């Protein structure tokens, strides 16, 4: 009998335990894939939320900077206009002093406002990540 005839006539049977083990492995791989897919989709949603929040925050921050710049330019023009009408050196010194004090106070307030706005944007941007991590830890526990 040739080797070819031997292999074609002898049926090969997979033991039932091995078949069950293989099916169990396939089922576990399928479950693992489904969990990985769900986690990836969830992470994509979180990243989209973070990106949207960061974009909105950056736009708001830029708008706030433009608003501050406009206020400072207006203040400078007002100062220049007032300075043109000055009649004496002491009056000019007083005007410069008052304008300097006013600008310092304005810059201090604007810096504080920008810092608070930046903190708010950072908090809002991180919030989706924080919620996602909290949810992940709750699912693990």
């Amino acid at each position: 009998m040739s080797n070819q005839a031997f292999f074609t006539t002898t049926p090969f049977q997979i033991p039932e335990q091995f078949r069950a083990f293989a099916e169990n492995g396939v089922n576990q791989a399928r479950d693992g894939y489904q969990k990985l897919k769900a986690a990836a989709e969830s992470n994509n949603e979180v990243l989209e939320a973070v990106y949207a929040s960061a974009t909105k925050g950056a736009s708001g921050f830029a708008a706030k900077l433009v608003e501050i710049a406009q206020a400072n330019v207006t203040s400078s023009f007002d100062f220049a206009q007032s300075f043109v009408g000055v009649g004496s050196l002491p009056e000019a010194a007083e005007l410069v002093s008052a304008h300097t004090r006013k600008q310092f106070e304005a810059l201090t307030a604007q810096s504080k406002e920008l810092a608070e706005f930046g903190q708010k944007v950072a908090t809002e941007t991180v919030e989706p990540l924080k919620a996602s991590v909290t949810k992940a830890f709750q699912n693990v526990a």
Side-chain angles (χ1 to χ4, degrees), residues 15 17-18 22-23 26 33-34 37 44 53 55-56 64-65 68 72 76 93 97-98 102 118 120 132 134-135 138:
Q17 288 177 327
F18 184 75
E23 286 178 10
V26 168
Y33 170 76
Q34 291 299 328
K37 180 181 172 189
N44 283 344
S53 180
T55 302
K56 179 183 170 190
K64 184 59 70 180
L65 287 174
I68 287 171
N72 290 338
S76 294
S97 177
K102 180 182 169 190
K120 178 183 172 211
S132 175
T134 300
K135 182 180 176 183
Q138 288 173 348

Side-chain angles (χ1 to χ4, degrees), residues 45-112:
E45 291 171 6
V46 169
L47 291 177
E48 287 173 6
V50 167
Y51 179 75
S53 180
T55 302
K56 179 183 170 190
S59 294
F61 199 80
K64 184 59 70 180
L65 287 174
V66 168
E67 177 185 315
I68 287 171
Q70 287 175 337
N72 290 338
V73 167
T74 300
S75 177
S76 294
F77 281 138
D78 290 347
F79 168 72
Q81 212 170 19
S82 297
F83 198 73
V84 170
V86 169
S88 68
L89 189 59
E91 189 180 342
E94 185 179 324
L95 186 63
V96 167
S97 177
H99 177 71
T100 303
R101 186 174 40 257
K102 180 182 169 190
Q103 280 304 106
F104 181 75
E105 290 170 358
L107 288 173
T108 301
Q110 291 165 351
S111 296
K112 182 180 177 185

